[in-house]
Amino acid sequence: MKKIIKAAVLGCTGYTGLKLIEILNKHPNVIIKFLGSESYSGEHINKFDSKLKNVSLPKLNLIKNINFSEVDVVFFALPSNVSQSIIKDHFGKSIFIDLSADFRFDNSINYKNTYKIKHQCPSFLKNFVYGLPEINYKIIQKSKNIALPGCYPTSVLLPLIPLLENRLILSKNIIIDSK
């Protein structure tokens, strides 16, 4: 018998959060226990996506009300620089999967150079695995903290990594123009 995974989705009313809920809700081994939203606490998720109209899910709740001991995995579908403040105070309490850009880099210098702001908990950056399963599948399986790449990095890395690893192209003249 497969283990049932109890999940929480923080930032559930945006595009990414809604798509994630749709996917998780179809998974036979996942139960969504908590839906976090700072702006729409007390509302039903079906207000934001008609595909969730006849789905039984918890009402939206303030993120501060999550009980980490009641969930196995927390998905962060929050704007960049928001996941950090929550993870900083609750690191290690659940499996964390961050869909924002907050933990994609393994050091705070790269983070600051890219996003022009200081990371709130730089000591945790090395605890996150870059969650591109086509490349890091085995490492992801063992990790409790996963930082998902965005759509642009995924669209670039999936074709480039095998070409570079097999020395079919050189890295020095690669130009990427994503739209």
Side-chain angles (χ1 to χ4, degrees):
M1 186 166 113
K2 297 262 184 179
K3 178 186 175 190
I4 298 298
I5 298 167
K6 296 175 282 187
V9 179
L10 308 185
C12 57
T13 59
Y15 178 80
T16 303
L18 289 169
K19 286 296 173 193
L20 177 59
I21 292 167
E22 191 179 332
I23 293 166
L24 292 174
N25 192 54
K26 291 177 183 176
H27 197 290
N29 300 347
V30 174
I31 295 174
I32 299 173
K33 299 290 281 182
F34 186 90
L35 295 173
S37 171
E38 294 304 288
S39 302
Y40 301 103
S41 181
E43 300 281 351
H44 289 279
I45 196 67
N46 61 13
K47 174 181 178 178
F48 303 93
D49 190 339
S50 61
K51 288 182 232 135
L52 300 171
K53 184 177 180 183
N54 297 317
V55 176
S56 177
L57 291 169
K59 281 187 175 182
L60 306 184
N61 202 332
L62 294 173
I63 293 171
K64 69 178 183 177
N65 293 333
I66 186 173
N67 183 342
F68 287 92
S69 66
E70 293 180 357
V71 295
D72 302 306
V73 61
V74 180
F75 292 89
F76 294 84
L78 298 163
S80 292
N81 205 32
V82 177
S83 299
Q84 297 173 47
S85 59
I86 299 165
I87 289 172
K88 177 174 60 173
D89 295 332
H90 300 286
F91 187 78
K93 293 183 180 176
S94 295
I95 293 172
F96 290 155
I97 300 177
D98 187 23
L99 287 82
S100 78
D102 284 4
F103 291 91
R104 289 179 185 159
F105 290 111
D106 62 359
N107 72 67
S108 60
I109 294 167
N110 288 345
Y111 182 87
K112 185 173 183 178
N113 289 341
T114 302
Y115 298 110
K116 310 302 181 215
I117 54 173
K118 186 178 176 184
H119 201 280
Q120 297 176 40
C121 45
S123 63
F124 295 149
L125 289 170
K126 289 193 183 293
N127 296 99
F128 279 78
V129 169
Y130 195 67
L132 190 58
E134 293 84 354
I135 307 301
N136 284 337
Y137 181 75
K138 289 180 183 177
I139 298 168
I140 291 168
Q141 283 185 309
K142 299 173 189 172
S143 181
K144 292 191 181 274
N145 304 297
I146 302 163
L148 298 184
C151 52
Y152 290 136
T154 300
S155 71
V156 170
L157 293 172
L158 288 181
L160 281 180
I161 289 174
L163 294 172
L164 291 166
E165 285 178 345
N166 291 297
R167 299 171 195 235
L168 297 172
I169 62 171
L170 299 175
S171 63
K172 74 177 195 174
N173 292 322
I174 295 173
I175 297 172
I176 299 161
D177 185 8
S178 294
K179 310 262 185 300

